[in-house]
Amino acid sequence: MKGTSLSLGTDKIFSVILIASSAVFYSMLGGMDAATSEGEIAASTYPRLLLIGVIISCGLHILSRNNEPNPVAQFPIAGGVVIGLIGSYIYLVDIIGYFLLTPVLLFALPVIAGFKNYKAITFSVLFITFTLYGVFDLVLNIPLPNGFLGE
């Protein structure tokens, strides 16, 4: 039957890699602090929701029918580096802390993607870092990891 086979092109292979890495990251979030009082949201809730969204989106992409010819599979090096950086971030954020590690990650990601406007990247990094701090720590009362800086 034509069109019923599941073919894996490079985009679908990358989706499989994203599903696997998202599952690993999801399991790594198990060690994050749980909510301390009723009605409080755990620090791991938002990342878990994002990872579930990635898994569902990639799963739907894999199951979608694509009648285009499959290109030769090539693993994008930059994509692998980004996955490794995010995995390292998840592992190290409790040890090093949000305020030291997040700006490094947020600066590295656009540089890996090829952006060269370092002034705009720096402004964006600071804006996102402090906005996320304000939303999570001040508004939602979800403490961010302090790492070795202490409390």
Side-chain angles (χ1 to χ4, degrees):
M1 287 167 53
K2 189 174 182 181
T4 58
S5 65
L6 182 66
S7 59
L8 291 178
T10 54
D11 57 337
K12 292 188 180 188
I13 291 171
F14 194 68
S15 292
V16 170
I17 293 169
L18 281 177
I19 289 173
S21 58
S22 294
V24 170
F25 298 156
Y26 189 93
S27 69
M28 291 171 70
L29 288 171
M32 289 185 84
D33 295 332
T36 55
S37 64
E38 191 165 326
E40 189 175 275
I41 299 172
S44 62
T45 302
Y46 182 68
R48 283 186 175 157
L49 289 174
L50 286 177
L51 290 170
I52 289 170
V54 168
I55 291 170
I56 290 170
S57 298
C58 289
L60 291 173
H61 178 68
I62 291 170
L63 296 175
S64 70
R65 293 187 180 178
N66 186 358
N67 294 330
E68 296 176 16
N70 292 332
V72 176
Q74 296 177 352
F75 184 77
I77 300 298
V81 171
V82 168
I83 290 172
L85 281 174
I86 292 172
S88 300
Y89 175 83
I90 292 171
Y91 179 75
L92 294 172
V93 73
D94 283 334
I95 299 167
I96 296 176
Y98 172 83
F99 280 108
L100 293 177
L101 202 56
T102 300
V104 172
L105 176 73
L106 292 177
F107 191 85
L109 293 177
V111 170
I112 291 170
F115 291 98
K116 304 258 190 248
N117 188 345
Y118 300 115
K119 206 182 282 189
I121 294 171
T122 303
F123 174 76
S124 298
V125 164
L126 294 173
F127 179 77
I128 291 169
T129 301
F130 288 108
T131 299
L132 288 175
Y133 169 75
V135 168
F136 282 96
D137 205 48
L138 302 176
V139 175
L140 297 174
N141 200 23
I142 300 173
L144 297 170
N146 290 322
F148 59 81
L149 293 177
E151 300 194 16

